[in-house]
Amino acid sequence: TGDWALEGALAREGVTCDFCHTVAGVEMGRAPHPFDLQPGPVKRGPLEYAKSTAHLTAYSVLHKSSPLLCASCHEHRNALGAHVLSTYQEWATGPYPARGQTCQECHMPMVPGDTVPESLQPTQRRINMHRMAGGTPPGRVHVGLDLRFGSVAIGASSADVEVVVANEGVGHAAPGGLSTKSLVLAVGVDTGAADLAHRRERVYRREMKDAGGRVLTSPADMFLKSASVGEDSRIRQKEARRERFTVPLPEGWKAIVARLEYRDASDPAAPKVRVVAEQRRERGR
């Protein structure tokens, strides 16, 4: 609509049901955007015989199973040519297309439920989950990632620790999406206090840089000012990282702890940090 200041109610609604269900086709690489929007009374979806009292309906193979529906928004080069979002390309060059595993299988899985009985006949008993679960819910991140100790050698005053972080089932590099997101491997010692003692970290993320080489931090700057991709330490599909640490062991320590945290800095005023996996090696084991 061109309402960049979000002055109108329509723009403030953001991406709603109507947007996705008026996409009639996707052609990657087409300018200014890859999706063919056909707003109007016809709403498209994966049910072949859907009938509605609120609008006309049309069956869409695109909505049924095509990753292109997702790619139209989750693959993006900006005006400077920077690959701001590369989620679709990562999936397409990984092992999952050959297996027939699509974006929707993980992010919109079939779950028990009913379509709106008053609108759609016959009522379905299994429907696609529409919460669009991405990496933010801890349960979703943990599904595709594996965290385990490779080895722990305990000495008189310190321990040499090897931790393995593996991307076993995420369909793209982890973490995916905008570069505001990162995975953090933290290794330290539980002494009974709230925080880990002698905490050590490895951070997995992708940097976006502006034309001057500065690392960008806000979503708006990433979309508008990105000129290049900086360091990319994310974990690729089916990749396992072996990380080694030496941590001091204070008197009275209880356990050596490895945690995998998911961080989202999309909102600098309220960044999200969640523990998605934890392993402990108790003292005396």
Side-chain angles (χ1 to χ4, degrees), residues 3 12 26 35 44 48 50 84 99 111 127 129 146 149 153 166 175 191 210 219 244 269 285:
D3 180 13
R12 287 198 298 270
V26 174
F35 39 78
R44 295 164 175 80
E48 293 192 52
V84 179
R99 302 177 185 179
V111 294
I127 60 175
M129 183 176 68
D146 182 57
F149 284 111
T191 61
D210 66 12
R244 292 174 174 84
R285 284 185 55 190

Side-chain angles (χ1 to χ4, degrees), residues 184-233:
V184 179
L185 171 63
V187 173
V189 182
D190 178 5
T191 61
D195 299 323
L196 291 181
H198 305 295
R199 177 182 170 112
R200 309 286 193 264
E201 290 187 353
R202 296 285 190 279
V203 179
Y204 310 115
R205 69 178 293 247
R206 184 177 74 147
E207 296 177 339
M208 299 303 299
K209 295 185 174 182
D210 66 12
R214 291 178 290 271
V215 176
L216 301 172
T217 57
S218 76
D221 284 347
M222 289 174 186
F223 277 109
L224 299 175
K225 298 179 181 180
S226 290
S228 64
V229 177
E231 181 182 358
D232 188 348
S233 58

Side-chain angles (χ1 to χ4, degrees), residues 136 182 262-267 270-274:
T136 303
S182 59
Y262 178 86
R263 298 180 184 177
D264 186 352
S266 298
D267 181 359
K272 299 183 182 71
V273 179
R274 293 184 172 90

